[in-house]
Amino acid sequence: METVTLNAGTPEETREVVAKAVTLLNEGLIVALPTETVYGLAANAFNAEACAAIFEAKERPSFDPLIVHVSGKKMLDTIVNIPPDIEETVNVLIREFWPGPLTMVLPKKNIVPDIVTAGLSTVAVRRSKNPVFSEIIKELELPLAAPSANIFGSMSPTSATAVHKELSNRIPLIIDGGACSDGVESTIIRIESTERPKPNIHLLRPGPVTVEMLKKFGKVLKEQDSQIENEMPNSPGQLAFHYAPRTPLRILDCPENFKADPSKSYALLSYRGQEKDGYLRIHDWKEIQILSPGSGKLPEAAVRFFFSLRKLDESGADEIIAEPIPGKGVGLAILDRLQRAAL
Ligand code: AMP
Ligand code: MG
């Protein structure tokens, strides 16, 4: 199958590509679309065969459920039953963070095919703020199942070029909406009511909606720590080894710990690219990518993260050495992806 990439640049182009995507999605085909986090591979969430095609194109194991995108609360109500004891929190979080990179796991209605949720009784839901994505889902008037548009286990794509490298000849259409503005996958949470006035918010995957942003609304419990230790995902699909380049990757906690094997070449993933951090000078690196040059801004580091990792993967180095990233704000999400890539 030949893969066509269409640009959503000008308003006229956008109108055309939106119409094209809506036609293909209505025919039960799958289309790669930009979101604010990473590019997604979308299908009509009510069409089990179309959703099966997502699993096939991504080589995704059937135990790994898909995230379903909605256009708003009305569409959300067609696919989930929100338990009364968490309804208020869900509504507050929707008002605060949607459209935006927050995914909530909620009890599903029967209308959602089992293949979408890997047989679970819950479905992960989100509303994207990307204008092209929003327009498509509004015109289609159907929820879209859309996991990241990459081969399973590989790095998420943050540009149409990266999607093409991952999935060319497997899907009919990629819509190029430019680089993703957040750069790491959405935050995933599960809400649990408690005896206290505020609920527990279980963080199944850290992302651009940070712990600091969520803690106003409940007690945030970081489940990914126990996952990495136990290698037992509480959120299926969040495997200990994930988001990985082909080149082996190691996080180097301090520059003094680096001992080069003279027969190997190394590439550096630097946080701020600062001499004083000590990493630049310890080796004649084959390639260096800097996530946020200068002062080290975590949102900028997130936007550049998968792009930089892909560059280093393509550099031909035998191993990628990554500087540690501060585990606060969206840094927690970057660190989570680095740890999973490093195992
Ligand atoms: P992605 O490929 O980035 O869209 O990843 C989707 C991820 O969302 C999956 O790998 C799961 O970890 C998580 N997820 C989706 N549905 C559920 C669910 N019902 N319960 C818990 N986690 C889920
Ligand atoms: Mg993914």
Side-chain angles (χ1 to χ4, degrees):
M1 176 190 309
E2 200 199 334
T3 304
V4 177
T5 302
L6 296 177
N7 205 3
T10 64
E12 193 176 326
E13 277 173 354
T14 304
R15 265 196 303 280
E16 272 174 33
V17 299
V18 166
K20 178 79 183 161
V22 169
T23 304
L24 294 187
L25 290 163
N26 265 323
E27 286 170 4
L29 296 172
I30 55 177
V31 180
L33 302 175
T35 83
E36 70 274 37
T37 57
V38 304
Y39 272 71
L41 185 58
N44 170 0
F46 292 151
N47 183 333
E49 262 177 56
C51 293
I54 294 181
F55 283 89
E56 196 185 334
K58 283 183 54 103
E59 297 174 27
R60 185 177 177 110
S62 58
F63 62 75
D64 189 359
L66 308 177
I67 290 176
V68 176
H69 294 245
V70 294
S71 59
K73 182 69 170 46
K74 202 164 146 216
M75 190 182 278
L76 177 69
D77 287 332
T78 66
I79 62 169
V80 298
N81 293 312
I82 304 174
D85 58 349
I86 61 164
E87 194 172 11
E88 199 188 320
T89 307
V90 170
N91 287 332
V92 169
L93 292 174
I94 287 176
R95 269 203 302 280
E96 184 79 15
F97 296 111
W98 279 16
L102 180 70
T103 299
M104 289 187 269
V105 172
L106 294 167
K108 82 174 186 84
K109 286 193 168 153
N110 284 341
I111 191 168
V112 181
D114 284 337
I115 187 168
V116 171
T117 62
L120 296 174
S121 60
T122 53
V123 60
V125 287
R126 167 183 167 197
R127 179 180 173 193
S128 172
K129 68 171 179 235
N130 178 284
V132 179
F133 194 101
S134 307
E135 200 48 44
I136 290 168
I137 198 162
K138 206 172 94 196
E139 280 203 18
L140 189 70
E141 295 180 332
L142 288 168
L144 284 174
S148 52
N150 54 280
I151 301 286
F152 181 74
S154 161
M155 293 167 285
S156 297
T158 53
S159 68
T161 317
V163 178
H164 198 268
K165 282 187 188 147
E166 290 279 330
L167 297 176
S168 64
N169 303 323
R170 293 172 181 236
I171 59 174
L173 179 64
I174 300 170
I175 293 195
D176 187 348
C180 299
S181 60
D182 283 314
V184 286
E185 302 83 356
S186 63
T187 305
I188 305 181
I189 60 166
R190 182 169 62 81
I191 303 152
E192 180 198 17
S193 70
T194 60
E195 302 293 304
R196 287 171 281 111
K198 282 192 179 175
N200 285 336
I201 298 178
H202 296 270
L203 187 67
L204 305 181
R205 176 171 76 184
V209 173
T210 62
V211 173
E212 291 84 345
M213 289 154 89
L214 287 169
K215 69 182 179 202
K216 200 165 115 192
F217 306 97
K219 183 171 182 205
V220 182
L221 303 164
K222 296 186 201 166
E223 295 200 352
Q224 89 276 7
D225 295 340
S226 55
Q227 279 173 44
I228 287 179
E229 275 161 27
N230 306 335
E231 297 187 23
M232 270 301 292
N234 297 327
S235 187
Q238 289 302 297
L239 304 180
F241 181 72
H242 205 160
Y243 309 110
R246 286 183 302 273
T247 314
L249 180 145
R250 176 157 50 114
I251 306 169
L252 194 64
D253 285 329
C254 65
E256 293 73 33
N257 286 350
F258 185 65
K259 293 204 180 25
D261 173 342
S263 68
K264 280 178 150 189
S265 63
Y266 298 88
L268 178 70
L269 182 66
S270 172
Y271 172 40
R272 316 188 289 179
Q274 292 248 22
E275 278 296 342
K276 66 177 181 208
D277 292 339
Y279 290 87
L280 296 181
R281 67 177 118 90
I282 53 172
H283 189 70
D284 183 13
W285 304 102
K286 186 173 171 87
E287 163 120 16
I288 299 172
Q289 284 288 320
I290 303 170
L291 291 175
S292 177
S295 53
K297 293 193 177 56
L298 289 168
E300 183 187 14
V303 168
R304 292 181 47 79
F305 177 65
F306 281 118
F307 170 83
S308 304
L309 212 49
R310 277 178 190 277
K311 282 267 178 232
L312 297 180
D313 201 18
E314 287 161 8
S315 73
D318 296 311
E319 191 172 352
I320 298 169
I321 301 296
E323 293 181 17
I325 306 283
K328 57 176 199 281
V330 73
L332 188 68
I334 306 174
L335 206 53
D336 168 71
R337 309 310 187 263
L338 267 182
Q339 283 167 342
R340 291 178 203 273
L343 287 169

